[in-house]
Amino acid sequence: MPVTNGTAEIHQRESILGGATSAAMVAPAGPQKDPIIEGQAWFTDEQVQFIMDRIPGVLLQGQLSNGPWTAEFETAVARNAGAKYATAFPSGTAALEAALTALGIGAGDEVLLPVQSFIGNAMAIRLAGATPIFCDITASTHCLDPEEITRKATPKTKAVILVHMGGLISPDIAEILGRCEAKGLLLIEDCSQAHGAHWHGRPAGSLGAVGVYSFQSAKVLTTGEGGAVVTNNRALSRIVCSLQNRGRDMDAKTEAYARTGHNNRFPEVSALLGLAQYRSLPQLVAKRNETAAYYRARLHEEAPEVGLQAHPANIEHSYNKFIINLPQGVSRHEVKLFLHRRGIPASLCFAPLHRQPLFSDLGGAEVANCPVADDVLERSLCLPIDPRINEVQRKKVIDVLLEALKHEGVQPAS
């Protein structure tokens, strides 16, 4: 659906978020021709046909969860992640909680994770009984600063969650792996935004002890809602499968339960959605990279003061998000509002976890001590990167952004 928020609604929302709107930044609002779409699930005609052809069979067969389509979907997830085993879950948060539990992480343990992360990651740590320890990021990657592993690991630390932010496998992944090995820490990859991402040809999810995926509707690849755990460790995979199904012993000949677990079974129709999308994953990632390449080239040439997320040649970025860091002194509020009024759905990155009220008992921002995140996350914006964006829309996004920067007093590159 197109963006249809009217002027009054935009004013109201921005007022709630804080900040005054200058007259110079007010651009005409109204219906948009050829609207730019962002953050919404998309299925091609071929994908829709694939799904619709198979739904009657699901209904007639009568097994609506953890059936043959779920098994086929899990096979596709494992294959695309370069892993031997995959287990599907109703959400990425549920998948991460199961991964932590299967790894033996619980009460009294600490897990390091970047403050630039989805709230579900920290919640999953707590649901597993452990304590999240918030770490700083690097400005050029929006991913975990590897030095934080050395700075913040304690004898209680058992694992590190590495978020592939925006779909970027951290360029520091080799150093992160080395520091984890030196400290005896497990590396958990949060691949929620990294469907189709690779490092030196290795897929996201194949680099740590486990990889966790999300298939929520705003991701590169979706099942509506959903998640998965991938691993090459069979014993670990069997525990994860058990936790998917109320703690059942998956190798027992009779119905027996070996541990406490949730009802995390996966719907067959959701599996069909994912299988349909996997058929087009390379094309989806290619279209996002095409738009990203255009954005990067123009911003590098015409607005070099805008910080771009690193993208080394040895990494295939999936661009679930296109993240920019606005120059110091530029009002993100004003730029975002200007873009919205011109029909460009720019969005914010995740709110920094160390400033969430839920985690105030951990000491807040002062104890977390994440100065880079505190700076960068106040200046970062995400430009639309939907695979449906066309050449005209790409040009409009950058043209309007440059105009917004000019209104903010940023001189264009000569």
Side-chain angles (χ1 to χ4, degrees), residues 40-56:
Q40 297 179 15
W42 174 46
F43 292 85
T44 65
D45 291 343
E46 292 77 12
Q47 290 169 348
V48 170
Q49 193 62 54
F50 174 90
I51 295 163
M52 297 303 293
D53 285 348
R54 289 157 179 79
I55 285 180

Side-chain angles (χ1 to χ4, degrees), residues 80-81 140-144 162-174 176-177 187 189-191 193-208 213 309-312 314-319:
N80 281 272
S140 62
T141 69
H142 280 248
C143 298
L144 176 71
L162 174 61
V163 179
H164 299 320
M165 181 52 59
L168 174 71
I169 298 176
S170 172
D172 299 314
I173 180 65
I176 290 169
L177 285 166
L187 182 67
E189 294 179 73
D190 175 5
C191 309
Q193 302 173 52
H195 301 278
H198 293 77
W199 174 71
H200 286 291
R202 296 178 61 181
S206 67
L207 305 168
Y213 279 87
Q309 191 183 32
H311 186 176
N314 62 5
I315 295 175
E316 183 178 356
H317 200 315
S318 67
Y319 281 109

Side-chain angles (χ1 to χ4, degrees), residues 91-369:
S91 71
T93 302
L96 179 56
E97 181 189 353
L100 291 163
T101 301
L103 289 168
I105 296 169
D109 297 332
E110 296 176 348
V111 178
L112 307 185
L113 77 162
V115 293
Q116 167 73 317
S117 180
F118 180 55
I119 188 75
N121 284 351
M123 285 185 172
I125 294 170
R126 281 221 160 145
L127 288 168
T131 301
I133 302 297
F134 300 126
C135 298
D136 211 349
I137 61 175
T138 64
S140 62
T141 69
H142 280 248
C143 298
L144 176 71
D145 178 352
E147 293 187 4
E148 288 282 80
I149 298 172
T150 302
R151 281 194 289 257
K152 294 185 176 176
T154 73
K156 296 181 179 180
T157 308
K158 295 297 186 293
V160 175
I161 295 176
L162 174 61
V163 179
H164 299 320
M165 181 52 59
L168 174 71
I169 298 176
S170 172
D172 299 314
I173 180 65
E175 182 179 354
I176 290 169
L177 285 166
R179 288 178 185 255
C180 285
E181 184 176 1
K183 292 276 186 182
L185 305 177
L186 297 164
L187 182 67
I188 300 169
E189 294 179 73
D190 175 5
C191 309
S192 300
Q193 302 173 52
H195 301 278
H198 293 77
W199 174 71
H200 286 291
R202 296 178 61 181
S206 67
L207 305 168
V210 297
V212 176
Y213 279 87
S214 168
F215 299 96
Q216 185 265 348
S217 59
K219 300 300 187 290
V220 173
L221 189 153
T222 187
T223 59
E225 295 287 348
V229 178
V230 298
T231 183
N232 286 313
N233 185 314
R234 184 185 184 279
L236 182 64
S237 173
R238 299 311 289 165
I239 298 173
V240 172
C241 287
S242 171
L243 293 168
Q244 182 207 49
N245 197 1
R246 296 191 185 278
R248 184 169 180 170
D249 184 343
M250 306 306 293
D251 296 316
K253 294 182 179 180
T254 59
E255 184 174 350
Y257 292 85
R259 56 188 57 84
T260 301
H262 301 293
N263 174 10
N264 281 319
R265 291 187 290 271
F266 196 72
E268 287 283 270
V269 172
S270 295
L272 286 177
L273 302 187
L275 285 167
Q277 293 237 309
Y278 265 121
R279 293 159 66 94
S280 303
L281 180 58
Q283 293 83 359
L284 291 171
V285 173
K287 290 295 291 183
R288 289 173 179 272
N289 271 268
E290 187 178 303
T291 296
Y294 176 85
Y295 288 171
R296 295 180 72 90
R298 283 202 60 191
L299 290 173
H300 177 75
E301 181 70 24
E302 301 175 57
E305 66 282 350
V306 173
L308 302 177
Q309 191 183 32
H311 186 176
N314 62 5
I315 295 175
E316 183 178 356
H317 200 315
S318 67
Y319 281 109
N320 185 233
K321 297 178 182 291
F322 187 91
I323 304 170
I324 63 172
N325 298 334
L326 295 171
Q328 295 281 359
V330 170
S331 170
R332 178 177 65 173
H333 167 81
E334 298 287 1
V335 171
K336 178 171 173 282
L337 182 57
F338 188 86
L339 291 170
H340 277 206
R341 288 185 176 281
R342 296 286 290 272
I344 297 171
S347 61
L348 304 184
C349 295
F350 296 131
L353 293 177
H354 63 314
R355 295 188 177 275
Q356 289 291 337
L358 175 62
F359 304 113
S360 60
D361 61 310
L362 299 178
E366 184 176 346
V367 171
N369 188 23

Side-chain angles (χ1 to χ4, degrees), residues 71-90:
E72 187 168 335
F73 173 68
E74 291 174 334
T75 298
V77 174
R79 181 175 61 248
N80 281 272
K84 292 181 180 178
Y85 311 103
T87 308
F89 284 80

